[in-house]
Amino acid sequence: MLSAALSTAGRSIFVLGALVCTVNTCEGMASYTLTPTTEGMQLKTPQGKIVFEYKTKIPANLQSPSAAYFDPVNTPSGERVSNAAPDDHPWHRGIFLGILNSEFRTPVDTSKLPPNHLVGAFNVKRADFWAWGLYAPRDNRIIKNRDIQLINANEKHAELEIRNDWLVDGQKMVEETDNVAVAEVDHVYVIDLTYRIAPVVDFVLSQTAFGGFAFQAQKYGDSYYSNASGKVDLPSPHYSLPDSDWPSEPWYDYCIKLKSDGKLVGVAVLDHPMNPPTRWHNVLWMVNPCITSFGPLTIHPDQPLILRYRVVVHDGVTPTDLLQKLSVEWRGMKKEPFTDRQGKGEQN
């Protein structure tokens, strides 16, 4: 079982070295490795295949103030299924987390105000970390990587920790800490992602049809979406109409027959029941479980938001039976309170 493979490993910490971070088992067998590149860090299997690269620097073709995303994300056969900076949406970026329309509410210092001052006043800074810039400013709204480490690895799995700061005009407004677990199971890559979003002041997310966690996939070739019931035949959601989003489901899969070589590849995103209520904005070759589709959401400094997603990257047609199995396992996991290596424990 994948859950056993990901949960029984020891919690020894291995700090990323200057050149290559490699963790071996006590028997000396090869393990997953984390290797620097010119734009980030690559995670490789014990056989040397690239699972993904995590970008910490902005490539020249990306029209976004932020990097902090996974691309390329490859299938076990080595086909790239993710996409960054597509020609029609050049701010989209592989696997990424970006809040579209939001504001930070900093309480007003009332110590110098007259006795009859208003209660609960605050200053507002608006921000778009999705990087579209239509509903809120994106300039000087930057998700900046602070650290990425391989904290546990052997020949069967890898665990990473990623730390990012969300900055508005140079001021840190959010601490993001991500736990990433990776394994190859039944010829697919399974990537479990847990995000901890901890703002310094109230962080108000407006109702939007899209935003949050997204997987931007390849676009050149015949493609389709599916879920446990088969191929989905629903109208495409509209960016301005949250009610047009697709119904809540445990998972949606996207498959595409690549024009480049005719191979069929795909990716599924599996939701978790501990996430906020979700509808799906699956359009533009993207899989996007949107937590703001039903309404606005406020994240308080003393109650960080925890988001959990399982990504399954595969070759060939939608592996429905396997996705059902992995989804049942994922949704049934007794998720422990999120704890980073500094001992901060939180759970939404």
Side-chain angles (χ1 to χ4, degrees):
M1 293 289 287
L2 176 62
S3 57
L6 296 182
S7 62
T8 58
R11 295 298 298 172
S12 300
I13 298 173
F14 299 84
V15 179
L16 181 62
L19 294 178
V20 179
C21 183
T22 303
V23 187
N24 294 325
T25 63
C26 58
E27 293 83 5
M29 297 176 65
S31 71
Y32 282 80
T33 60
L34 191 64
T35 308
T37 68
T38 57
E39 296 175 340
M41 301 293 293
Q42 283 184 348
L43 182 72
K44 296 182 180 180
T45 69
Q47 295 75 35
K49 296 186 294 183
I50 298 172
V51 181
F52 58 66
E53 181 171 334
Y54 189 78
K55 289 288 199 292
T56 59
K57 298 180 181 179
I58 302 173
N61 64 333
L62 182 67
Q63 295 182 20
S64 165
S66 304
Y69 65 96
F70 300 84
D71 180 74
V73 181
N74 298 326
T75 70
S77 74
E79 294 288 339
R80 179 184 177 185
V81 66
S82 66
N83 192 7
D87 53 5
D88 50 358
H89 290 75
W91 51 89
H92 286 191
R93 44 199 190 274
I95 299 178
F96 69 108
L97 181 71
I99 303 303
L100 174 66
N101 186 7
S102 63
E103 61 183 43
F104 296 97
R105 296 181 175 179
T106 302
V108 171
D109 182 4
T110 60
S111 61
K112 298 180 181 180
L113 295 181
N116 61 342
H117 65 78
L118 293 174
V119 176
F122 51 83
N123 294 316
V124 172
K125 287 189 176 182
R126 303 187 64 232
D128 175 359
F129 290 100
W130 183 274
W132 189 19
L134 183 64
Y135 294 132
R138 77 172 187 177
D139 292 342
N140 296 316
R141 275 65 177 163
I142 299 171
I143 301 175
K144 184 177 181 180
N145 178 255
R146 180 155 44 97
D147 190 32
I148 173 171
Q149 296 186 14
L150 184 65
I151 61 172
N152 204 328
N154 57 31
E155 76 281 6
K156 293 183 179 181
H157 88 290
E159 295 180 54
L160 294 81
E161 183 177 85
I162 299 169
R163 293 178 179 274
N164 297 321
D165 292 335
W166 296 29
L167 309 175
V168 176
D169 296 328
Q171 180 181 358
K172 182 168 71 174
M173 304 304 292
V174 172
E175 288 188 358
E176 173 194 344
T177 307
D178 309 333
N179 284 353
V180 184
V182 180
E184 186 172 355
V185 178
D186 292 338
H187 310 294
V188 303
Y189 287 143
V190 179
I191 306 171
D192 291 346
L193 300 119
T194 303
Y195 296 87
R196 179 182 186 270
I197 307 300
V200 299
V201 296
D202 281 352
F203 187 21
V204 180
L205 286 53
S206 301
Q207 182 179 21
T208 55
F210 67 98
F213 177 86
F215 192 111
Q216 176 66 57
Q218 292 291 330
K219 59 177 287 188
Y220 296 110
D222 295 333
S223 62
Y224 65 88
Y225 291 93
S226 61
N227 57 27
S229 300
K231 291 185 179 180
V232 177
D233 185 20
L234 290 171
S236 296
H238 192 275
Y239 71 85
S240 66
L241 300 173
D243 288 344
S244 71
D245 285 349
W246 290 0
S248 176
E249 292 283 352
W251 59 268
Y252 281 95
D253 183 72
Y254 170 84
C255 273
I256 182 169
K257 186 176 182 180
L258 299 172
K259 280 189 175 181
S260 57
D261 57 17
K263 291 185 178 180
L264 190 65
V265 299
V267 59
V269 175
L270 283 55
D271 199 8
H272 194 280
M274 294 180 71
N275 290 336
T278 295
R279 287 186 292 210
W280 297 69
H281 193 81
N282 295 341
V283 69
L284 298 172
W285 311 277
M286 181 174 65
V287 187
N288 175 210
C290 183
I291 61 172
T292 56
S293 178
F294 284 107
L297 179 68
T298 299
I299 311 172
H300 302 290
D302 59 345
Q303 295 178 312
L305 175 66
I306 311 298
L307 296 174
R308 303 168 177 88
Y309 299 101
R310 171 170 280 184
V311 174
V312 180
V313 185
H314 61 86
D315 295 284
V317 300
T318 302
T320 302
D321 291 344
L322 178 59
L323 290 175
Q324 279 291 88
K325 175 183 175 182
L326 292 172
S327 178
V328 170
E329 176 188 84
W330 177 240
R331 295 174 68 84
M333 278 186 180
K334 294 181 179 179
K335 303 296 290 181
E336 297 298 325
F338 185 101
T339 303
D340 66 23
R341 292 183 295 106
Q342 293 184 350
K344 299 176 182 178
E346 298 289 350
Q347 187 172 6
N348 62 347

